[in-house]
Amino acid sequence: EIVLTQSPGTLSLSPGERATLSCRASQSVSSSYLAWYQQKPGQAPRLLIYGASSRATGIPDRFSGSGSGTDFTLTISRLEPEDFAVYYCQQYGSSPTFGGGTKVEIK
Amino acid sequence: QVQLVQSGAEVKKPGASVKVSCKASGYTFTSYGISWVRQAPGQGLEWMGWISAYNGNTNYAQKLQGRVTMTTDTSTSTAYMELRSLRSDDTAVYYCARGWELLDAFDIWGQGTMVTVSS
């Protein structure tokens, strides 16, 4: 099983700032099969990024994904009020697993 | 619009079984698979398994093997997840999510079903 470790656990930022979230895998993720999801309280997760860097339908271009192998990054270029949420990475190159999440909170 | 609508909340006693449904609409059901993901209160996401709506092939998470069964009814475009021998640590919100195949991201999610296991 591939273990995904997300850091930091919590990110305290102000609207308009840049957010950089990290996801590290215990072994190489096949074919960059890495996704990012956003989850708000009481809601289901929403797909943001798939294939490490492709934005899902309807996702604003302030969200971008990068990385390969074992190190991946989600960047939110300028935080909007609706972006404060928990973010999860997921690998689906083998039996799917999720990271523990990063909470982006208002500073 | 494309959506997955799940059945309502359940309360079960330890040792019982629960069956959660997930009705798909707005797309060709048999062209995709359905994964099930659960989230214990205040915790992260755990993948439980996947079923192909095309041919019924399944792939279950190792830790749930023997306790979980996933099925589909193509006549009603509905997927089901049954979990047996429930324990208190099975208390969670259970989500269904659409993926093209087993190794795919989940682009559409159901609203979630809260399952509480308590004596």
Side-chain angles (χ1 to χ4, degrees), chain A residues 2-70:
Chain A
I2 296 178
V3 176
L4 299 179
T5 301
Q6 291 188 241
S7 61
T10 302
L11 201 49
S12 299
L13 295 168
S14 301
E17 289 194 294
R18 181 184 187 92
T20 303
L21 287 66
S22 173
C23 176
R24 178 161 291 178
S26 60
Q27 55 188 281
S28 184
V29 175
S30 174
S31 303
S32 293
Y33 284 167
L34 193 288
W36 290 92
Y37 299 86
Q38 176 193 69
Q39 187 178 34
K40 296 179 180 179
Q43 296 185 16
R46 177 174 72 142
L47 177 65
L48 300 175
I49 301 287
Y50 64 94
S53 61
S54 298
R55 272 188 301 277
T57 303
I59 301 304
D61 60 8
R62 65 180 181 272
F63 291 92
S64 63
S66 63
S68 64
T70 61

Side-chain angles (χ1 to χ4, degrees), chain B residues 21-80:
Chain B
S21 68
C22 169
K23 184 172 177 58
S25 61
Y27 71 95
T28 301
F29 182 63
T30 51
S31 294
Y32 291 81
I34 294 287
S35 272
W36 290 87
V37 176
R38 68 181 180 178
Q39 185 171 36
Q43 302 302 307
L45 302 166
E46 178 187 15
W47 178 77
M48 301 176 66
W50 171 88
I51 182 167
S52 165
Y54 174 71
N55 58 17
N57 286 349
T58 55
N59 187 295
Y60 300 138
Q62 192 167 10
K63 71 174 284 190
L64 294 173
Q65 288 270 5
R67 284 209 300 140
V68 68
T69 301
M70 296 175 187
T71 57
T72 59
D73 181 345
T74 56
S75 69
T76 60
S77 299
T78 302
Y80 298 92

